[in-house]
Amino acid sequence: MHHRAPSRRTLLTVTAAAAAAAVTGATTPVAHAQPDTGISSLQRLISRMSLEEKVGQLFVMRVYGHSATAPDQADIDANLKEIGVRTAAELVEKYHVGGVIYFSWAHNTRDPHQIAELSNGIQRAALAQPTPVPALISTDQEHGIVCRVGEPATLLPGAMALGAGGSRSDARDAARIAGAELAALGIRQNYAPVADVNVNPANPVIGVRSFGSDPQAVAGLVSAQVRGYQQAGVAATSKHFPGHGDTATDSHYGLPTITHTRAQWAELDAPPFRAAIAAGIDSIMTAHIVVPALDPSEDPATLSHPILTGILREQLGYDGVVVTDSLGMEGVRTKYGDDRVPVLALKAGVDQLLNPPKLDLAWNAVLQAVKDGELTEARLDESILRILRLKAKLGLFQRPYVTGRGVNRAVGTAAHLARADRIAERTTTLLVNEGGFLPISRRSHGDVLVVGADPASPSGTTGPPTTTLAAALTELGFTATALSTGITPTAAKIEEAVAAAAGKDVVVVGTYNVSATSPQRTLVDRLVATGVPVVTIAIRNPYDVAWITGQRATLAAYSWTDVELRAAVRVLAGHARPHGRLPVPVQRADDPKRVLYPVGHGLSYT
């Protein structure tokens, strides 16, 4: 039997004062609060919840719209179709969800003040529940190629760029800046940093989202970022456990198998997660991957009791929040139906169920599993206590709302933007510099043509890359013209670029995921044949350099957000020196077993 919840004021008073400061790492101490009183308060709060409220606390769900109560009609329609509610407020009211995840494609992140008000609207709905519990709002703000909140917020180098920089101090500062800005927007759980060790150049889903291929180097940077985020009052999330770095399958679209032995896993994949736990990580995200050496049942790790409870909880000693990767991804849906996945995840040891494709099906499946005895209410309480401990640690019971003044003080400040520029400069990697061609000067190479790929902005607010590169060159006194040739340039577009190169002093080509059959190779070859010096900038994977010949110089930028592209231009023009060193090896195109450029390769200016 469940007791009727007391008033919101009573619950918040009892819970906030005692619990928020009692949990280790609480952001604001409260006088006279004792640790046992805090946990007891959280347990009393749980005891007042109905079973339906308990089930809801386990879910973190997407919702369309820029406003919690008045989204655009198209977003209302999308919500009705996918979730059966009109708004974020109705989502919270109907399903009692414990968290909401923001996406740019869901129109949650138009601008900083709008995001802050959306967060406040969600909190108002959460605190209007029969048992008021603040929501934990999350997003994927990895920076680099995965970025949900864009300009005017500060954009920072992504993981592999920071790996090239090699500075734990820079990694910590980047996370601290990112965390401070997220917290000001009401986003208190960030699904970063990526703890995967990218040992497979063909990895289609991790790649430059990883700090690199060396487990110890990755571990140090993961630890630094965990501390940076959590210093800013944001829960960091290391992902994707037990390690997604050695796969050629994207778990969004299939179920990857990792063939590492248990010994290889311990040597290659485990160190960054061990480091994150030692640094006090607040949450860990699971991977939708099969690791037969860790679980011979070949269940995906998200649904694996041997992996999540046996290894993560018992062997590694982790007692924080475990959150699934999105339950809408094909990797977790391949073996079981959408009704079984959330139940099996909870039985495996998960606490938060992220973004199921059909919330009503998943929510009711968990509810029914408790009623049928497959899951006990005590098992739910165990996860809810971890979630509430985290909410208390973050101060959400005391300070659930954010302010416009706080947004103005923290988001996109001049100090943050300047720091981002300096960090980015230290990540740009000079891979090739034939005859010391770089840096160029506007006196000798003042007329520049910029061509290449223009992938969509990770945040929807920057680029396109060719325009950004040309604008950055223009700001430094060059005459620069941009011509977008695309990721797969046509023969006609290649001819246009060749014609445009006539009379130029240098051509800068932005390359993107070049492969053996990529027409980007033809583009570079034809431009080199004109006799005009060609400089390539790998705007995503540094592996591009293995497929390109004849260029005078190659830089690796690791992402195509403006901060990294502007930094590459400053290096190109000698306004900054190249400091980056490859955090992954680049294999030869003609013999992948041989290394073209090893970890640590990076040229400097004399």
Side-chain angles (χ1 to χ4, degrees), residues 152 154 177 181 408-422:
T154 304
I177 290 168
E181 298 198 9
N408 293 337
R409 281 200 303 259
V411 178
T413 65
H416 285 178
L417 295 170
R419 187 78 177 102
D421 282 339
R422 299 293 82 76

Side-chain angles (χ1 to χ4, degrees), residues 68-205:
T69 55
D72 294 340
Q73 186 61 49
D75 293 322
I76 291 174
D77 294 343
N79 285 329
L80 287 170
K81 180 180 179 181
E82 295 186 18
I83 314 172
V85 299
R86 292 167 53 84
T87 67
E90 289 183 13
L91 168 69
V92 174
E93 180 182 7
K94 181 175 181 179
Y95 290 105
H96 319 292
V97 293
V100 174
I101 179 172
Y102 287 171
F103 292 103
S104 52
W105 53 258
H107 310 138
N108 303 140
T109 57
R110 287 183 179 177
D111 66 75
H113 285 278
Q114 166 269 316
I115 298 170
E117 184 48 43
L118 173 60
S119 298
N120 285 342
I122 290 170
Q123 297 295 7
R124 283 190 288 270
L127 297 176
Q129 292 295 291
T131 308
V133 178
L136 184 53
I137 297 169
S138 61
T139 198
D140 292 284
Q141 189 79 346
E142 296 175 15
H143 288 276
I145 72 167
V146 176
C147 204
R148 311 302 188 200
V149 180
E151 293 181 345
T154 304
L155 299 180
L156 293 137
M160 192 171 285
L162 292 171
S167 167
R168 295 184 185 183
S169 176
D170 281 353
R172 184 188 65 245
D173 283 356
R176 180 183 51 77
I177 290 168
E181 298 198 9
L182 290 175
L185 302 174
I187 301 170
R188 302 301 297 277
Q189 184 179 24
N190 191 24
Y191 299 135
V194 171
D196 303 316
V197 181
N198 200 71
V199 295
N200 187 345
N203 194 323
V205 65

Side-chain angles (χ1 to χ4, degrees), residues 106-371:
H107 310 138
N108 303 140
T109 57
R110 287 183 179 177
D111 66 75
H113 285 278
Q114 166 269 316
I115 298 170
E117 184 48 43
L118 173 60
S119 298
N120 285 342
I122 290 170
Q123 297 295 7
R124 283 190 288 270
L127 297 176
Q129 292 295 291
T131 308
V133 178
L136 184 53
I137 297 169
S138 61
T139 198
D140 292 284
Q141 189 79 346
E142 296 175 15
H143 288 276
I145 72 167
V146 176
C147 204
R148 311 302 188 200
V149 180
E151 293 181 345
T154 304
L155 299 180
L156 293 137
M160 192 171 285
L162 292 171
S167 167
R168 295 184 185 183
S169 176
D170 281 353
R172 184 188 65 245
D173 283 356
R176 180 183 51 77
I177 290 168
E181 298 198 9
L182 290 175
L185 302 174
I187 301 170
R188 302 301 297 277
Q189 184 179 24
N190 191 24
Y191 299 135
V194 171
D196 303 316
V197 181
N198 200 71
V199 295
N200 187 345
N203 194 323
V205 65
I206 305 301
V208 293
R209 297 169 62 195
S210 164
F211 290 107
S213 63
D214 179 83
Q216 298 307 319
V218 173
L221 293 168
V222 165
S223 179
Q225 289 230 298
V226 169
R227 292 189 171 96
Y229 279 117
Q230 296 182 177
Q231 284 170 6
V234 166
T237 308
S238 59
K239 60 185 185 184
H240 308 77
F241 189 83
H244 209 316
D246 189 8
T247 173
T249 301
D250 186 340
S251 52
H252 289 85
Y253 308 108
L255 179 58
T257 296
I258 306 294
T259 58
H260 292 178
T261 65
R262 185 173 282 262
Q264 287 173 323
W265 173 81
E267 180 183 356
L268 293 173
D269 301 294
F273 291 100
R274 291 184 182 276
I277 293 168
I281 189 75
D282 281 323
S283 52
I284 290 177
M285 180 178 283
T286 67
H288 305 325
I289 58 173
V290 168
V291 190
L294 303 184
D295 182 356
S297 76
E298 299 198 1
D299 279 343
T302 298
L303 310 181
S304 169
H305 189 273
I307 291 175
L308 298 188
T309 297
I311 295 177
L312 182 57
R313 296 282 191 210
E314 296 171 1
Q315 182 181 324
L316 300 186
Y318 177 66
D319 191 38
V321 170
V322 173
V323 56
T324 70
D325 205 344
S326 171
L327 297 183
M329 293 166 60
E330 191 61 31
V332 79
R333 304 173 73 189
T334 298
K335 194 171 180 180
Y336 301 99
D338 291 338
D339 59 333
R340 294 299 299 155
V341 165
V343 175
L344 295 173
L346 291 168
K347 292 175 75 172
V350 157
D351 302 306
Q352 288 183 310
L353 300 163
L354 178 63
N355 200 28
K358 298 176 182 176
L359 178 59
D360 60 338
L361 182 67
W363 190 90
N364 281 297
V366 174
L367 186 68
Q368 194 61 45
V370 177
K371 291 179 177 179

Side-chain angles (χ1 to χ4, degrees), residues 5 16 59 99 139 154 194 199 218 343 370 372 385 425 432 451 571 576 599 606:
F59 283 91
T139 198
T154 304
V194 171
V199 295
V218 173
V343 175
V370 177
D372 292 345
L385 181 59
E425 284 176 359
V432 175
V451 303
V571 170
V599 170
T606 56

